[in-house]
């Protein structure tokens, strides 16, 4: 998901591709497991909200086949555009500010999107409104406040520096309007919106090489913002990046909470 009005992690930077690859490695298995359990199959009409990259869109396209449809939307579609061939349609769309790009969808899915959308309530209403009766909604979002540390085992100066930078990153996200406690509220929000059979779970990766890849790309992406905010010096950041590259630290990401339900 890309925002042009203050979003900290836009798709236009070179590090975005590395971040999308890391997200795919970390979270695609969880997403695919949930979508498969929801029954997606040939002929389904799916809306992938804030698609970002191509991994989920391409997987959905294989599941729905030539008789189905996958609509992939984002504010910046540059990274998902290569997937734009039947049954996939790619369209520029802001879920938090525009009307739904269609209706009658069997599945609407958003991953790591709504936490960054200023008008999350409107976005969620839009997604639910686009479902057919009986259609499934799957929303997956991070909850950085639930586990705020990059290094849960803070046993030395390298881990302390890492957690200081992570704290600064979270502060920058908050300043840009991100809701760092959004993930935990998803089950209640889906029930209050009238969805039935609401369930949820969480995935919390620790000590994965993809966590290190994500951290390196993220810190390089926001290096100037961290320095400008007084969180760290360039020397601090260079030292942290070297520590990450060494492979000697156990790095974690924020828990990703997946919540799903059916429209009445």
């Amino acid at each position: 998901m890309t925002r042009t009005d203050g979003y900290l992690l836009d798709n236009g930077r070179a590090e975005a591709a590395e971040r999308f690859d890391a997200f795919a490695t970390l979270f695609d298995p969880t997403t695919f497991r949930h979508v498969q359990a929801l029954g997606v199959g040939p002929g389904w009409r799916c809306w992938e909200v804030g698609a970002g990259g191509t991994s989920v869109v391409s997987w959905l396209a294989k599941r729905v086949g030539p008789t189905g449809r996958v609509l992939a939307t984002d504010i910046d579609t540059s990274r998902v555009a290569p997937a734009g061939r039947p049954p996939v349609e790619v369209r520029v769309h802001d879920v938090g500010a525009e009307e739904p790009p269609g209706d009658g969808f069997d599945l609407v899915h958003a991953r790591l999107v709504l936490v960054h959308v200023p008008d999350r309530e409107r976005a969620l209403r839009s997604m639910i409104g686009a479902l057919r009766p009986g259609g499934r909604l799957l929303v997956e979002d991070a909850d950085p406040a639930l586990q705020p540390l990059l290094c849960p085992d803070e046993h030395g100066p390298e881990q302390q520096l890492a957690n200081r930078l992570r704290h600064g990153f979270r502060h920058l996200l908050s300043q840009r309007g991100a809701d760092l406690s959004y993930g935990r509220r998803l089950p209640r929000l889906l029930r209050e919106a009238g969805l039935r059979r609401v369930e949820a779970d969480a995935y919390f990766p620790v000590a994965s090489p993809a966590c290190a890849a994500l951290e390196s790309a993220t810190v390089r992406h926001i290096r100037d913002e961290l320095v400008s905010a007084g969180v760290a010096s360039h020397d601090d950041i260079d030292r942290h990046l070297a520590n990450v590259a060494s492979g000697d630290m156990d790095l974690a990401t924020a828990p990703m909470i997946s919540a799903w339900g059916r429209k009445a």
Side-chain angles (χ1 to χ4, degrees):
M1 179 80 177
T2 297
R3 296 208 62 84
T4 58
D5 56 349
Y7 180 54
L8 189 62
L9 297 163
D10 63 274
N11 289 1
R13 296 281 298 273
E15 294 87 358
E18 299 175 54
R19 285 173 49 80
F20 287 143
D21 288 345
F23 284 139
T25 300
L26 288 168
F27 299 127
D28 276 2
T30 297
T31 296
F32 297 165
R33 173 171 58 86
H34 288 312
V35 172
Q36 190 167 359
L38 291 174
V40 66
W44 275 46
R45 300 178 71 244
C46 305
W47 176 18
E48 181 66 17
V49 181
T54 62
S55 64
V56 175
V57 171
S58 297
W59 187 88
L60 285 172
K62 292 178 181 178
R63 296 288 299 185
V64 305
T67 61
R69 180 194 181 204
V70 179
L71 176 62
T73 64
D74 207 329
I75 293 174
D76 178 352
T77 59
S78 58
R79 300 288 179 181
V80 73
R85 55 186 176 274
V88 175
E89 176 189 356
V90 176
R91 189 184 304 180
V92 175
H93 178 263
D94 186 342
V95 69
E98 300 180 70
E99 294 300 309
D103 56 21
F105 289 102
D106 301 290
L107 171 72
V108 175
H109 172 243
R111 185 175 77 188
L112 304 176
V113 173
L114 296 189
V115 67
H116 298 291
V117 174
D119 196 343
R120 283 171 280 273
E121 183 178 350
R122 174 174 177 170
L124 189 59
R125 287 199 311 268
S126 177
M127 292 162 61
I128 293 172
L131 288 167
R132 67 166 176 80
R136 283 78 157 174
L137 176 69
L138 172 63
V139 182
E140 302 180 294
D141 244 312
D143 196 313
L146 193 62
Q147 195 298 108
L149 302 177
L150 178 63
C151 296
D153 181 20
E154 188 182 273
H155 65 86
E158 296 87 356
Q159 290 75 23
Q160 291 169 359
L161 173 60
N163 286 339
R164 174 157 61 90
L165 292 177
R166 176 54 57 91
H167 177 77
F169 175 42
R170 292 176 59 238
H171 182 67
L172 290 173
L173 285 173
S174 295
Q175 286 184 321
R176 304 295 181 98
D179 183 346
L180 303 185
S181 302
Y182 189 68
R184 72 189 73 179
R185 293 198 284 274
L186 285 172
R188 172 175 58 82
L189 293 174
L190 266 56
R191 285 195 305 271
E192 291 177 350
L195 295 188
R196 298 179 178 178
R197 303 182 188 178
V198 173
E199 299 182 52
D201 65 14
Y203 175 58
F204 176 36
V206 179
S208 164
C211 290
L214 178 61
E215 173 64 8
S216 176
T218 301
V219 169
R220 286 185 282 112
H221 194 146
I222 63 169
R223 168 193 282 266
D224 291 341
E225 288 83 355
L226 289 169
V227 173
S228 296
V231 173
S233 67
H234 283 294
D235 286 344
D236 290 333
I237 292 173
D238 288 340
R239 186 165 68 255
H240 174 62
L241 290 172
N243 292 337
V244 171
S246 74
D248 294 332
M249 293 198 300
D250 295 324
L251 306 181
T253 67
M256 185 181 75
I257 297 177
S258 304
W260 59 94
R262 295 192 181 193
K263 187 174 181 178

